[in-house]
Amino acid sequence: QVQLVESGGDLVQPGGSLRLSCEASRMLVSLGNMAWYRQAPGKQRELVAVISPAGTTNYASSVKGRFTISRDNAGNTMSLQMNSLKPEDTAVYYCNAELRHLSWWGQGTQVTVSS
């Protein structure tokens, strides 16, 4: 089992920045791909960004150039730096990690982008 806890969600104005963190119950070097997903009310959960153990990244087109995913393989945290935030970025953001070909989820953190 892997426990994941997100933090950093907040209310921010359009154009602002926010940094989300995901703390895992084990060192990230032991985990496979990790990712950030988000889900807005009435919408399906969507993939935001993925990062491999080696640091290879992929982003949803809607966030590319604005968001940066990173992981500290020497520690227990993964991050999502969110810049130039838009109202459509408003959602609950979830941390995801792969271990033994199984997917594990955090409980989510709320990000609200509004003036």
Side-chain angles (χ1 to χ4, degrees):
Q1 181 176 239
V2 180
Q3 291 191 333
L4 305 169
V5 181
E6 303 94 336
S7 63
D10 207 347
L11 171 65
V12 63
Q13 293 185 342
S17 297
L18 208 56
R19 191 168 193 265
L20 305 183
S21 295
C22 171
E23 183 177 352
S25 59
R26 58 194 295 157
M27 290 190 293
L28 300 198
V29 69
S30 70
L31 301 177
N33 288 343
M34 298 187 73
W36 286 97
Y37 286 75
R38 67 186 182 187
Q39 186 169 27
K43 301 271 190 175
Q44 292 187 335
R45 190 170 299 186
E46 65 174 347
L47 178 64
V48 176
V50 182
I51 185 166
S52 74
T56 301
T57 59
N58 284 292
Y59 298 90
S61 60
S62 59
V63 307
K64 198 167 188 177
R66 299 188 297 119
F67 291 9
T68 302
I69 188 172
S70 61
R71 63 190 287 168
D72 177 13
N73 287 341
N76 298 74
T77 58
M78 175 183 68
S79 298
L80 183 69
Q81 179 64 47
M82 309 164 68
N83 298 325
S84 301
L85 284 163
K86 305 174 181 179
E88 50 262 45
D89 294 320
T90 296
V92 176
Y93 284 70
Y94 297 90
C95 177
N96 174 270
E98 182 182 84
L99 177 65
R100 298 169 185 167
H101 303 289
L102 295 177
S103 187
W104 304 85
W105 297 89
Q107 292 300 114
T109 185
Q110 177 71 50
V111 172
T112 302
V113 184
S114 176
S115 58

